[in-house]
Amino acid sequence: MTQLGATLDALLGSVATTEARLAVTVGILLVTVAVGWLLLPRLVRAGERVAADWLDRFLDGRGEQSIETLQDAVPVSFGLRILVGLLQLALFALATVAILSLWGQFSLVVAVLPVAENIFAVGTRAIFSVVLLGGAYVASDVLAEYVSDLSDDSDRITAHQEQLLTRIMQVGLLVIAGITILGIWGVNLGGLLVGAGFLGIVLGMAARQTLGSLIAGFVLMFSRPFEIGDWVEIGDEEGFVTDITIMNTHMRNFDGEYVVVPNDLVSQQAITNRSREGRLRIHMEVGIGYDDDPAEASEIAEEVLTGIDTIANNPSPYVIPSGFGDSSILLDLRFWIDPPTPQARWRSKATAVEEIQRRFVEADISIPYPQRTVSFPPETAAGDETVERVERFDKSDDRSPDVTGRGE
């Protein structure tokens, strides 16, 4: 700005006559009005159209939601008016400097110039900061849509990984934008980083469990023991996974309850994924009487299992005698359901119980109740009988005959 003022003073200081100065002053004012109020608005609008077309081609339809949000917050017309006003103000200031230099008042320009430079620097920093924040906001939305498109094109990226990648990239982008803005305003980043380091140590000690859940969330993202929609059993909790965040795993159990399990607890417990293989084997037991034929009962049970719609035929269900129970011979029933769902498991087991019981009744095959046989040694039985006789004699009528034979 100082060099520009000196250059204008050198160019316009040679105009000596008053008539010439008046003519040059009128010319400067006419040029300022023509450029500032006629040419600048058209140039700004033309530049806005060119920039919008280039931005649409560059983004290729991404980031529309964030762009609409920014337009709702700061309409395009309002932004253009501000831009035109700033350019007109700058042009008016330049014309003022030229006129003052023309009339030999350059010392006044030198006195006011530091204040103008400070205002210009602050305004420029503010404009760059706002533009950078708006660009980071749009870029975060573009990154989210880009990761979503990449996840749709690849089967190896799960919804959990997509969410984590999106959050990491968005946070990294905002951190870079924040550091850049602080650098624009001259903030000492060294001291800020040292303070952030101490703060991180304190927060790490105070929130060890939270950090553990955070790290476990990243481990789950890469190990992928389950995905959203899987039927899993984590410790004592069983249900369908509804959401996986960096901190928690959300489930819906079979009672309709909403269960949230911290990721650090998930990583420390056994995980049973019943949906991973696409099928599930069901194990049941039924007992038949010792007088019944195990081969016939096994054949009937296999026929029943094969005829149930919810039971898969490949691999085929099978029934084998598995052991001797207290009251029955045990038959082990094993069959598969495909796809594995709680409804299919409950329905297949209920149907199997009903049909097997009906077919066993038709074939005169018993399903015995639990039985117990109690026996006593012979001397114990004789002692019990003697005690029982003495008790009956003691409880008889008091007017019994005199054992000595003497009357009253």
Side-chain angles (χ1 to χ4, degrees):
M1 292 292 292
T2 304
Q3 294 179 354
L4 180 60
T7 303
L8 290 176
D9 183 50
L11 291 175
L12 300 176
S14 58
V15 181
T17 62
T18 304
E19 293 79 2
R21 291 178 180 177
L22 287 174
V24 173
T25 301
V26 172
I28 292 174
L29 292 176
L30 290 176
V31 170
T32 302
V33 171
V35 174
W37 276 266
L38 298 178
L39 185 60
L40 270 180
R42 291 180 173 84
L43 289 176
V44 170
R45 292 189 180 277
E48 186 271 335
R49 287 193 296 269
V50 172
D53 294 339
W54 176 84
L55 190 63
D56 290 338
R57 290 194 300 268
F58 178 76
L59 296 179
D60 192 19
R62 299 186 180 95
E64 294 181 354
Q65 182 177 0
S66 59
I67 293 176
E68 292 177 356
T69 303
L70 290 177
Q71 289 179 351
D72 293 337
V74 182
V76 177
S77 59
F78 178 74
L80 290 177
R81 287 197 297 270
I82 291 179
L83 180 59
V84 170
L86 292 175
L87 292 176
Q88 289 174 344
L89 181 62
L91 184 62
F92 176 75
L94 183 61
T96 302
V97 171
I99 293 174
L100 291 175
S101 301
L102 176 64
W103 289 93
Q105 301 296 324
F106 186 71
S107 59
L108 182 61
V109 175
V110 173
V112 178
L113 193 58
V115 178
E117 287 181 347
N118 291 333
I119 295 175
F120 178 78
V122 172
T124 304
R125 291 175 183 176
I127 292 173
F128 276 123
S129 300
V130 172
V131 171
L132 190 59
L133 285 177
Y137 180 72
V138 175
S140 64
D141 193 11
V142 172
L143 284 176
E145 295 185 11
Y146 176 77
V147 174
S148 179
D149 295 340
L150 185 63
S151 175
D152 294 337
D153 296 336
S154 176
D155 296 334
R156 301 182 61 182
I157 301 179
T158 63
H160 183 205
Q161 292 175 330
E162 175 187 345
Q163 184 184 31
L164 286 181
L165 287 175
T166 302
R167 293 293 182 268
I168 291 173
M169 296 176 70
Q170 289 177 339
V171 169
L173 182 63
L174 293 177
V175 168
I176 293 174
I179 292 175
T180 305
I181 293 174
L182 292 177
I184 292 175
W185 289 94
V187 178
N188 185 8
L189 297 179
L192 186 63
L193 291 176
V194 172
F198 282 110
L199 181 61
I201 294 174
V202 174
L203 291 178
M205 296 178 63
R208 287 175 295 178
Q209 184 175 0
T210 302
L211 291 178
S213 297
L214 180 64
I215 296 174
F218 284 100
V219 173
L220 290 176
M221 181 186 72
F222 292 105
S223 61
R224 297 173 59 182
F226 50 80
E227 300 176 4
I228 295 177
D230 284 354
W231 172 15
V232 299
E233 181 179 353
I234 304 175
D236 297 333
E237 301 294 340
E238 183 177 4
F240 289 97
V241 178
T242 58
D243 191 15
I244 307 172
T245 64
I246 298 179
M247 303 298 299
N248 302 308
T249 296
H250 303 255
M251 299 173 56
R252 181 78 63 182
N253 63 16
F254 302 141
D255 295 331
E257 298 172 333
Y258 181 71
V259 181
V260 179
V261 184
N263 286 334
D264 59 334
L265 297 181
V266 175
S267 61
Q268 296 175 7
Q269 301 185 79
I271 300 173
T272 303
N273 192 334
R274 306 190 191 280
S275 301
R276 176 59 61 89
E277 299 299 328
R279 59 183 181 179
L280 179 66
R281 190 179 73 175
I282 307 299
H283 170 78
M284 296 176 58
E285 277 190 347
V286 62
I288 63 173
Y290 277 99
D291 296 332
D292 298 319
D293 185 5
E296 180 184 2
S298 300
E299 182 179 357
I300 292 174
E302 286 186 2
E303 291 179 0
V304 170
L305 296 178
T306 304
I308 298 177
D309 297 335
T310 55
I311 296 178
N313 292 325
N314 187 18
S316 302
Y318 61 92
V319 180
I320 57 173
S322 60
F324 297 98
D326 295 337
S327 306
S328 61
I329 298 176
L330 301 178
L331 302 181
D332 189 8
L333 288 67
R334 299 184 182 184
F335 53 89
W336 298 80
I337 57 174
D338 183 13
T341 61
Q343 292 80 5
R345 180 178 66 174
W346 300 331
R347 191 178 299 114
S348 60
K349 292 178 69 173
T351 306
V353 170
E354 295 173 358
E355 291 298 318
I356 290 175
Q357 193 272 343
R358 183 181 64 82
R359 291 289 302 276
F360 278 7
V361 170
E362 294 177 354
D364 292 332
I365 297 175
S366 62
I367 302 178
Y369 296 102
Q371 301 176 9
R372 295 290 185 271
T373 301
V374 181
S375 61
F376 298 95
E379 59 273 11
T380 304
D384 293 341
E385 183 179 357
T386 303
V387 172
E388 183 181 0
R389 289 178 178 178
V390 171
E391 289 178 351
R392 285 203 303 268
F393 181 77
D394 290 341
K395 293 178 181 179
S396 61
D397 193 358
D398 291 340
R399 287 181 288 182
S400 57
D402 190 358
V403 294
T404 59
R406 293 179 299 175
E408 294 181 354

